[in-house]
Amino acid sequence: LPGAVFLFLADLDQSMDGVSVSDSTEELVIESGRGVRHYWRDLWAYRELFYFLSWRDISVRYKQTLLGVGWSILRPVLTMIVFTVIFGKLADLPSDGVPYPILVYSAMLPWQFFANSLTESSNSMVANAQMISKIYFPRLALPTSAVVVSFVDFGISFLVLIVLMLGYRYAPTWRLVTLPLFTLLAFGAALGAGLWFASLNVRYRDFRYLVPFVVLLGLYVSPVGFSSSIVPQEWRLLYSLNPMVGVIDGFRWAILGGDITLYWPGMVLSVILVAAIFLGGLHYFRHAERTFADVI
């Protein structure tokens, strides 16, 4: 990290509640924070760390690549083309009165954000093992900054959606003002799942192989390449047990308007599930981080 690490080391024995030094053995003890009150205070005190971690990840993500940030556009666009051909042309699935490429791409936005966030945050603790074992800081900063970085790709990809809508002359409606609410829902789902996998990946490295499988499977069981309206009504609530169903449907409802409708029982269920995943992940992460420095 830039100068921030040196600042941490210089103030280590004076201003950090999570670090104590034994006089007799001169042993450095790195703790996860003394109590919830101090931990959340430390998150604010270390707010600049979020910036340094995020900037580091952004600067190295596409380093020494030919396309650079172009990958943020190329991946969702290629996926959109494949899904449009398979589901829109060959399977001839309904598009709810929306051009099929726009229908798919509006779902790719939250899904790509979730997939990138989950992949990066689940590996954030292991990737920063040296940092964790040497200095104290709120460990929550690592997976959170990984999710925040994914907003960069999200913003770039959103520009492509604007171009698509202009090309098809498809105008949004007033529902667009609700998009931040569904973006917040996507953030909660990504960070909650990321906290679970980041914690488990420290102790059980098998999870680094499980995450790509979860992402690939989720892409096909979530309504990315098709509209969830094709799911029979009697199965809609059960299908909504996948929390990303509500997130994706919410994005489409907010961006596309028109004949796009929301299945409100499923949306309520998705909100409840995302809240449970986020709060459960946060609780488990806080419990497990006490041993991160020892296990990692």
Side-chain angles (χ1 to χ4, degrees), residues 87-106:
F87 295 109
K89 300 297 182 182
L90 299 181
D92 196 24
L93 295 180
S95 62
D96 297 335
V98 179
Y100 214 91
I102 297 179
L103 180 79
V104 174
Y105 200 85
S106 60

Side-chain angles (χ1 to χ4, degrees), residues 10-274:
D11 295 339
L12 200 58
D13 59 344
Q14 298 178 5
S15 61
M16 295 184 185
D17 295 329
V19 179
S20 59
V21 180
S22 171
D23 294 334
S24 58
T25 62
E26 296 183 354
E27 179 184 13
L28 180 65
V29 180
I30 301 178
E31 301 175 357
S32 61
R34 294 174 180 164
V36 174
R37 181 175 61 86
H38 291 81
Y39 189 83
W40 303 123
R41 186 194 66 186
D42 286 351
L43 280 177
W44 175 250
Y46 283 79
R47 58 190 179 276
E48 291 186 0
L49 179 62
F50 286 86
Y51 167 78
F52 286 118
L53 289 173
S54 300
W55 178 252
R56 180 201 61 179
D57 291 344
I58 292 173
S59 62
V60 303
R61 172 172 290 188
Y62 300 114
K63 187 178 181 180
Q64 294 182 322
T65 60
L66 292 175
L67 297 180
V69 295
W71 285 109
S72 302
I73 299 175
L74 187 61
R75 287 181 297 179
V77 167
L78 289 179
T79 306
M80 176 202 68
I81 294 174
V82 171
F83 280 6
T84 299
V85 172
I86 294 176
F87 295 109
K89 300 297 182 182
L90 299 181
D92 196 24
L93 295 180
S95 62
D96 297 335
V98 179
Y100 214 91
I102 297 179
L103 180 79
V104 174
Y105 200 85
S106 60
M108 283 301 305
L109 286 176
W111 175 256
Q112 198 73 33
F113 170 73
F114 175 82
N116 290 342
S117 299
L118 181 59
T119 302
E120 297 298 329
S121 60
S122 63
N123 195 48
S124 60
M125 308 306 296
V126 176
N128 292 278
Q130 296 296 324
M131 185 177 173
I132 291 174
S133 60
K134 286 181 171 58
I135 61 174
Y136 167 78
F137 62 95
R139 309 310 193 206
L140 192 61
L142 291 174
T144 304
S145 64
V147 176
V148 171
V149 168
S150 297
F151 270 115
V152 176
D153 291 341
F154 177 84
I156 296 173
S157 300
F158 197 89
L159 297 177
V160 178
L161 178 63
I162 295 176
V163 173
L164 278 174
M165 296 181 74
L166 289 175
Y168 282 95
R169 297 182 180 179
Y170 194 93
T173 65
W174 64 268
R175 297 177 185 175
L176 190 63
V177 300
T178 65
L179 186 61
L181 297 177
F182 297 108
T183 304
L184 182 62
L185 189 65
F187 177 83
L191 181 57
L195 290 175
W196 277 107
F197 279 99
S199 305
L200 293 169
N201 195 33
V202 172
R203 185 172 294 274
Y204 309 104
R205 299 302 168 86
D206 309 73
F207 281 89
R208 63 182 173 181
Y209 305 110
L210 180 61
V211 170
F213 173 75
V214 171
V215 170
L216 181 61
L217 179 64
L219 177 62
Y220 290 101
V221 300
S222 300
V224 178
F226 54 90
S227 172
S228 59
S229 62
I230 69 173
V231 178
Q233 192 68 22
E234 61 270 21
W235 295 101
R236 289 291 296 272
L237 192 62
L238 181 63
Y239 185 56
S240 297
L241 287 175
N242 174 1
M244 287 304 296
V245 171
V247 174
I248 292 172
D249 285 350
F251 263 71
R252 281 177 171 155
W253 182 83
I255 296 174
L256 304 180
D259 296 329
I260 303 295
T261 59
L262 273 182
Y263 177 62
W264 288 105
M267 177 58 65
V268 172
L269 180 58
S270 291
V271 171
I272 294 174
L273 289 173
V274 168

